[in-house]
Structure formats: C-alpha cells, structure tokens
Amino acid sequence: MVYLVGAGPGEPKLSTLRAKELLEQCDVLVYDNLANPELRKWVPPTCIQIDVGKSPGRHTLEQRDIEKTLVEHASEGKKVVRLKGGDPFVFGRCAEEMLALDVAGISYEIVPGVTAALACAGYAGLPLSHRECGSTISFLTGHEDLSKEALRVDFSKFAKVGGTLCIYMGMSKLEEIIGKLLEGGMSPDIPAAIVSNGTLPHQRKVVTNLSNLSLASKKEFLQAPAIVFVGNAIGRVGQKGNWFESRPLFGKRFVLTRPVGQVSKLKFKLENLGAEILELPLIKILPSEDKKLIAEVFAGIATYDWSVFTSANGAREFMRLFFLAFGDIRSFGPMRIACVGEGTAEVFRKYNLEVELIPNTSTAENLAKDLVATDSLDSANVLIVTGNRNREVLVQILQDIGHAIVDTLPVYETDFSDVTEIPDLDRFRKQGADAIIFTSSSTALSYIEQEEDLSLEEGACKPIYCSFGPETSKTLKENDLIVKLECTKPSIDEMVMVLVEHFSM
Ligand code: SAH
C-alpha cells in the first residue's frame, strides 16, 4: 500500500490528522525537500527514510526513480508513505506516481494537504476572495517547461481573468511574469504580494502593487519557495492582516534544555507567541528507588509534620510512589507541604492538597529559612523529598537552626544526557539560537561539560543565556557564562514574560 500524503506548507501543525496517523505507522517514508523535517520525527524508529529531494533541472530521471522506489517497497508488503509538500495534487506530479502504482497493481490512498497558496495567504493575512472584488481564484505555475510549448502559461491572458492569481514557483521568472501581466492590460496599481517560506518561523513577505513588486521583493531579499499573489482582494485588509509576523516573539529561536516530556507547557506558550523552539534536553531524570527506604517512609507517613519538595520532578515521582503504595489520597495524612516554587506546588494542587509554604525566591536555602521562620520545626519530623543534588544545605539549616528531625527520601537521579544523541543538535550547531533557557543548575552544568559538542558553526546566531532562577544563575556565573535574563522564581509564566520583554523591544 502506498499513501500519497500532503505534508502541508511547512508548519507541522498544519498537516492533517490522517497524515500524522499514517506517518506514525509507516514502514517506509519517501520524502522531498519541501516537507518539513519535523514531520519525520513522527515515524517509528524502525521506519526506512528515503530522501528523494528534487533540484530544478534534474526532474525526469529522478521522477522515474521515485516511482520505482515506491513500487519496490510496496511490493514487499510494506506500508509506504510518499510525503509531498503542500497538497499532492497541486503541482506535485502526483498523477505520474498514481499511474506507476496502477501499472504495478499497487493500491494507494491520497491524503490532501494544505496547499502553499492557501497557507501563505492565511499566514500573511491576504484574503483570496472578496464579495466586492474577487470571485475567482487561480493557481498558476511560473516554472515553465520551455521544451513543451503546451505547458507554458500565457500570463498575458490571465491579466484579463480577474480575481486573485496565486503563482507557484514564480520567483525565477518574476520580472517576465509581471511584464506579461502588464502587457495583457493589468493595472500597475493592482495589489500584489509575495510570501516566502510561508507559515515558517522565517516567513517573509512584501505587500505592494504590481509595478513595484519586483523591486520590493529584491529589497527584502525574498527567495523561493514563495507564492506570488496578484488581485484586488488581497489588498482589502492591509496591515491589519499581519497577525503572524507581528507576534511578539516571531522569528526568535529558543533552546529549551529540560528533559524530554517536560518542555511542553513552555514550548506551547512560546510557540504561540511566534517563537521557534529547539529542544536540547541536557539532563535526564532517572527514577531512583530504594525500596526499603520508601517502605520505611510510607510506613511512618502519619508521623511527619512537614514534607518538603525541592523540585517538580521529585514531587511527581513521590506522588507516583505514594499511589503505588496506598492507592488512596486519604493516606497522605496531616503532614504539611512546603515547595521550592510554583511549578512544584502545582503537582500537589492537582490533588487538592494545600501547599502551605513557597519561598519568594526559589532556592533551597530560602525554602529552609522560610521554614525555620514558621517556628514550627523544633523537634518536628520533616521529610525532604529530593533528587541526588543540592540537598545538603536544606538538611543542615533545618537540623542545625530549626532543630528539626530530618529524613531524606531521594526519589530520582539527575544525569547529564549525551548531547551528541539529540536530534535537534545539528540544527542548533548550524543555525544557533537567540537564547538558551536553563531550567536548573544541572542543565547548566551539563551544558558547560559538553560545550565542545555544542559549539556553533560559523555564521550561526550566538544565543544569550537565560536562567530560571538565582541558583541556576549562580552556577552559570561561576563558570564564566554571562546571565542576560533571569527569573526571580522558576515560573513558566515569568520566563515567558521576561523573554517577551527582552525580545519584543
Ligand atoms: N504541492 C505543493 C506545491 C509544490 S510546487 C503545494 O501544494 O503547496 C513548489 C512551490 O510551492 C514552491 O516553488 C513555492 O511556490 C510553493 N511553496 C511551497 N511551500 C511554500 C512555502 N512554505 N511558502 C511559500 N511557497 C511555498
């Protein structure tokens, strides 16, 4: 079976649910350059990935090779996805592939995609139709096969068609196309636009009139892939349509360093504000279970006056173990809860458990001092739930100054991840980023230890360093890294605010 699948215009989230579902299950993926590499992250690890990227001028033979590849793999009984940019039926040579499959007796399914013209129009705020001045929409190709007279688009004729023209592959012959349209009687003042790399973080556009289009495009260095639009409808909303590129973090690239599976909330918020996210999980969290110790702590859970949590990871892991042991929230008992920051406290609020203490500045030291200041520690039983780092200071203050009886329960271990195994590493080294966001001291230490593997190639954008809190900043500064932006506490919302303030200036 072969699935001829439209990948959409660029932004991965504009691909269809069907496309995602098929990618997640395919045995073989045959893709070319317009399909966003991000989509390839959806295929199973065992999937064979074949790049059949076309470059102009080398089409004919390669097209036959592509067809052969599809037939070969499908004949072996494999589920093959042929991924094409945009929609497979819009200037995608899909008909030829269908024919080849038919001849070989192989079944296929066609999955439409959001075609570039529609996506570019939407993301540039250029309406393609309008009740007063645009009642037809034409898709044209500017890339003529000069050897075939019949395939040439006569642009001068389209000057009279009216409505909105959407020209694919028009950049290399832009001046010629404009000339033909004017020759055919189109007004030089008619609204015209070019959207290059539509829907992507590096989308660029010019919106002007037909006579000025070529010059404006050169001034902005617009390049393929791009769609050229001409028609009265696209001029109807003007600057108001600039929703995509005017988002506060548009065009900025940020590196998130949290472990896999923990970046989604921050990533979602930053992406919604226009940022592009690279994921470099610099640490990994491994559960560390000392079964005997866990059994002892849980046996005495009713005897603790306070439970103290220094990280969201610890809190989550503790609750997982708690439910494994008891299965019922009522066994949590009367112990009071103190957390280092909001993110950690969130874990307990989900269970409607009240968090009674969060220090203003999120450090273990402040947490300890604030606890001592409650005057409730003298001879109290305190349980500290932690990872394998940064717990000594807490224990010391609570015991020596607060006179508490302290038990510690390590529930996870933080380990550096090997950056050379991270999929986004290559993009980071080539393109760089505007900022790296360090979530914890351990992400900072991992970065410092592996700085060589993370070094940027020439011309890549050099990032500034941002820290989620004073403790992380301290680690960065001790290692001679300049902290440009810092949160007072590890809060996702504060980090987003700090970034917007800095980057939207
Ligand atoms: N099947 C594709 C079109 C393939 S032809 C579709 O439906 O979109 C390739 C042309 O598509 C490019 O030369 C360019 O004109 C256009 N194109 C594809 N992706 C684009 C993007 N992200 N931004 C602007 N134009 C794009």
Side-chain angles (χ1 to χ4, degrees), residues 162-465:
T164 307
L165 307 183
C166 311
I167 306 164
Y168 289 71
M169 297 176 272
M171 290 306 271
S172 59
K173 298 216 172 65
L174 186 61
E175 273 162 47
E176 206 178 303
I177 293 169
I178 295 170
K180 288 273 184 201
L181 290 173
L182 292 171
E183 212 175 275
M186 219 172 214
S187 158
D189 298 326
I190 194 165
I194 294 177
V195 182
S196 131
N197 288 301
T199 77
L200 293 168
H202 46 292
Q203 172 177 307
R204 296 282 174 276
K205 67 170 185 292
V206 294
V207 183
T208 173
N209 61 29
L210 188 59
S211 61
N212 199 28
L213 189 62
S214 171
L215 192 67
S217 153
K218 279 194 192 121
K219 262 196 200 150
E220 293 292 321
F221 302 104
L222 295 193
Q223 282 174 349
I227 300 280
V228 181
F229 295 99
V230 187
N232 282 313
I234 65 161
R236 278 304 173 111
V237 294
Q239 274 305 310
K240 286 199 193 75
N242 199 27
W243 68 270
F244 180 65
E245 288 172 47
S246 64
R247 292 172 308 159
L249 296 176
F250 176 76
K252 302 292 177 241
R253 194 178 314 118
F254 299 139
V255 174
L256 303 187
T257 57
R258 285 193 173 195
V260 183
Q262 290 186 17
V263 293
S264 45
K265 212 161 146 198
L266 181 60
K267 182 172 186 234
F268 181 77
K269 290 197 176 195
L270 293 174
E271 280 180 343
N272 275 351
L273 292 166
E276 178 186 5
I277 301 300
L278 293 184
E279 289 180 51
L280 294 188
L282 291 172
I283 53 167
K284 51 188 175 199
I285 305 291
L286 308 166
S288 104
E289 289 191 18
D290 178 340
K291 288 211 170 76
K292 197 163 149 256
L293 186 59
I294 291 167
E296 273 171 27
V297 164
F298 284 149
I301 195 160
T303 63
Y304 290 108
D305 300 289
W306 278 100
S307 55
V308 181
F309 297 87
T310 58
S311 75
N313 284 319
R316 269 191 292 269
E317 192 52 25
F318 179 81
M319 288 312 283
R320 189 181 73 82
L321 294 168
F322 170 83
F323 282 116
L324 273 181
F326 297 105
D328 187 324
I329 194 69
R330 282 170 292 189
S331 304
F332 201 88
M335 66 181 173
R336 302 162 79 183
I337 303 172
C339 290
V340 72
E342 281 298 324
T344 311
E346 274 303 304
V347 177
F348 296 102
R349 296 201 185 112
K350 277 197 197 124
Y351 302 103
N352 283 343
L353 291 169
E354 190 190 347
V355 177
E356 288 186 53
L357 190 140
I358 303 171
N360 276 337
T361 309
S362 295
T363 65
E365 202 174 329
N366 283 321
L367 175 62
K369 283 182 183 157
D370 284 8
L371 262 169
V372 170
T374 60
D375 256 347
S376 60
L377 290 194
D378 205 353
S379 307
N381 288 318
V382 178
L383 175 66
I384 300 180
V385 181
T386 60
N388 55 341
R389 293 171 195 271
N390 304 330
R391 60 172 169 251
E392 291 74 15
V393 64
L394 194 56
V395 175
Q396 198 191 3
I397 297 174
L398 297 186
Q399 275 180 348
D400 297 355
I401 308 176
H403 308 296
I405 303 153
V406 177
D407 286 343
T408 50
L409 177 65
V411 289
Y412 69 92
E413 269 171 35
T414 309
D415 206 356
F416 297 165
S417 38
D418 179 356
V419 292
T420 59
E421 289 169 4
I422 298 173
D424 279 350
L425 176 70
D426 208 37
R427 254 174 84 207
F428 173 68
R429 296 199 52 208
K430 282 202 177 87
Q431 304 176 344
D434 294 281
I436 301 185
I437 299 160
F438 292 101
T439 2
S440 60
S441 285
S442 31
T443 58
L445 288 170
S446 171
Y447 178 83
I448 290 150
E449 194 176 284
Q450 304 184 77
E451 232 175 338
E452 204 172 310
D453 288 323
L454 288 157
S455 63
L456 297 174
E457 289 179 12
E458 225 174 88
C461 173
K462 209 168 167 299
I464 59 165
Y465 299 127

